[in-house]
Amino acid sequence: MNDGIDVKSMHDRGRTPSQWKYVLCIAPMAVFLIVTFFWPVARFLFKSVDNSDLVSNLPRTVIALADWKHTDGIPGEDVFAALVQDLADAHANGKDGIVAQKINQRVVGTRYLVIKTARIAAKGGFAKEALRENVLKRFSKWGNIELWSAIANDLKPLTEFYLLMSVDLQKNPDGHYESVPEEQAIFLQVFGRTVWISIVVTLICIVLALPVAHAIVAARPNVARVLITLILFPLWTSLLVRTIIWMILLQGNGPINSTLQLLGVINKPLNLIYTRFSLYVAMIQVLLPMMIFSIVAVMRRIPVNLMKAALSLGSPWLWAWWRVQLPLIMPGIFTGSAIVFVFALGYYITPALIGGPREQMISSFIAFYTNKTLNWGLASSLSIQLLFLLVLVWLIMLMSRFVFLKRTEK
Amino acid sequence: MTTDKTETSCETVDTHVSFKGVGKSFDGKAWAVRDLDLQITRGEFLTLLGPSGSGKTTTLMMLAGFETPTAGEISIDSRRIDRTPANRRGIGLVFQDYALFPHMTVAENLAFPLQARKYPRAEIEKHVKHILDMVQLSNMESRRPDQLSGGQQQRVALARALIFEPKLVLMDEPLGALDKKLREQMQFELKHTHDRLGVTFIYVTHDQTEALTMSDRVAVFNEGVIQQVSTPDGVYERPETSFVANFIGENNCITGTVVGSERQQEITIKLESGKILKATPRNVDTNPGIKALVTVRPERAVIDADPGEYPNGLKATIVEIVYVGDHIRIVLDSREISGFVVKISNESKMINVQKGQDVRIGWRIKDCLVFDITEQAHLSVNEIGLGSN
Ligand SMILES: Nc1ncnc2c1ncn2[C@@H]1O[C@H](COP(=O)(O)OP(=O)(O)OP(=O)(O)O)[C@@H](O)[C@H]1O
Ligand SMILES: [Mg+2]
């Protein structure tokens, strides 16, 4: 017993200095990553639930609306007084724009209503008596019960509004979750499309990569080098050049269409660009090398004698490949698929440039809400869904790999 | 390249495999295998022996169907198989690295050739069980290859090559990766298996002891050319080329010039020192003046022997006495050759020799073989003369 403790403490003593070295080795990179990546990403992701812009700029309204329910009808004098006071303060602090934006995100078309109300409130333009009536007379939109319940529903420091919206859900005035009206629902469909495009791209990459990887592994070293260089060309080419190439190639009177027409296969130009087809071509062109290299890396480690042995044992080539080669290549296919799929999920410039409107993927929407409408709450929520999707895919990969290896281990 | 008389005299040779003028060149310049003529008898244990790069694997791979001959023809049972794909040749093949399928269990590895032949399930199980018994691995059937020792993997590889009952089994240095002890045990097992099954084995090795102990016949390769095909004692006792003499076992080599021949099977050689030796010509013209190589096996040379019985002799000084266990090596220097090796039996230690002592080394005429030196010009005498074993 005593011996055990002694040995352990000696063991720990012996280990401590090297642990410090270990920490020192890691520290600069860890600090760099935390400062430049994890912290900003966490900040951005927090935007999906952050409601402080609304809550902190409407402190009185928050209190006044605390007990209000939409069944009570249009709020009373006290609420209007609180709102007018809050908006006047917000205008004075230059925060009326952001409040207007946040309310507008919830009820579209209320931006000017809020800004104008704030401006008049700041000037003291509303009479103190019968304030409610006064406001309603000038801005009849404040008599909209939907607007009030949208505001009242969401006057908490943390909001679920954006997250719900990112999966086409909303909270109705009763506090129940429901789907948004059909004409507003877009994101689930875009997520589905994104996943589908990524799956198709991954599968096509696997099918195209296998023979190429075989060729590279079988080739003499200098031939293999040439092949690898050729494969890498698309990756080395700038996005702009590649995009122009696709446009030239795929346009109505481009080489593909004119060749097909010349051969008499078609009689009027096919619509190739701004289609799903052109998107696949562009994505596979860039993602295929990663699949090839993942597979080649694994195949290089498989002894050539295994295939020879399988053949000498009387098995037809295809069967030998299926039973002996493929199971051993599988880890490479898994790795390659994970890389290709994850990259594909995040594509946004390529779909924007050469995909049609029905080819836009989720990242395009994230970029749109981040840059164009500054709806960071929604952009962040969509990012969280994408992240969630990635984790899900990763888990599926891990599990299928586990199941697969278990099967081959047995 | 001639076959030993003992075998060719037999009239009813049942030829199983035949190479006729087979050549293989990978780059169109150098021959990896050249003018290969070889008849392999049914049920024979034939070993291809030769130094690294001499074309043994290439020969085996042409027979197995993984390399196409550049010239000549290969037939099995008098049928040409040059165009038959590897998977239809029905040849059992064992690789040096065993080439067991790492993702399959032992039983699955063994079932593979039977599944490829669409055996029914029950039949496969029966065969697998039977062969596992044969190679004594019955309790290992559900292990994977990396959970087996080297010797066990070797047995699985052999079992897998035998399970579909091929008439011809090829093995490319199957014991190369094993340690000495295990190797010897496996040699015994392999030989035993061969005797029991009566199928033809073609075995590749560069270990001459292995070749000599296991084979019915040995084919000695050098630089893509067969030097000699003969029984183990044939290649050891009656080498036909200086290469074989040097490669198989140890030999003391002395260069000299042919003086002439007075009798059949006897030739007179003059060494550079002027010393005259009587020897047996193996592969040399008896015309005077030809440069020749004289060889003597270390165990056939005797120290301080009776000159009547051992007419050839050199005066030499003992420079080293090495106790090897089952024998003693005595290294001597003389005017004609330095590093002459004599092996004497453990018991003749009674001959009380000492380092620095001057003695006479003697040997018989029949143990002194002479070869044409021109065909061996590219080999350094020192390198092969004493390098092996
Ligand atoms: N695939 C190949 N391409 C080019 N040259 C080859 C190839 N395989 C073998 N060679 C050459 O052919 C010659 C014979 O090779 P081989 O493998 O048959 O020798 P080996 O007798 O089996 O030697 P080892 O005992 O080292 O296995 C060598 O010079 C080798 O370099
Ligand atoms: Mg070899």
Side-chain angles (χ1 to χ4, degrees), chain B residues 14-18 39-47 63 76-77 90-93 161-162 165-171 193-195 197-203 216-217:
Chain B
D14 183 4
T15 303
H16 189 177
V17 179
S18 144
Q39 265 68 43
I40 299 156
T41 314
R42 191 177 312 284
E44 184 175 24
F45 194 126
L46 179 96
T47 298
L63 182 53
I76 296 181
D77 293 322
I91 296 175
L93 190 54
L162 293 175
E165 293 167 355
K167 294 281 170 285
L168 176 60
V169 179
L170 314 182
M171 288 177 263
T193 309
H194 173 255
D195 292 345
L197 298 178
V199 297
T200 311
F201 272 32
I202 303 182
Y203 190 92
D216 295 327
R217 282 196 306 159

Side-chain angles (χ1 to χ4, degrees), chain B residues 113-131:
Chain B
L114 304 183
Q115 287 166 346
R117 287 172 174 74
K118 304 211 162 59
Y119 277 43
R121 200 185 193 85
E123 194 81 351
I124 292 179
E125 272 171 29
K126 206 179 78 189
H127 276 79
V128 169
K129 205 169 133 37
H130 175 78
I131 201 107

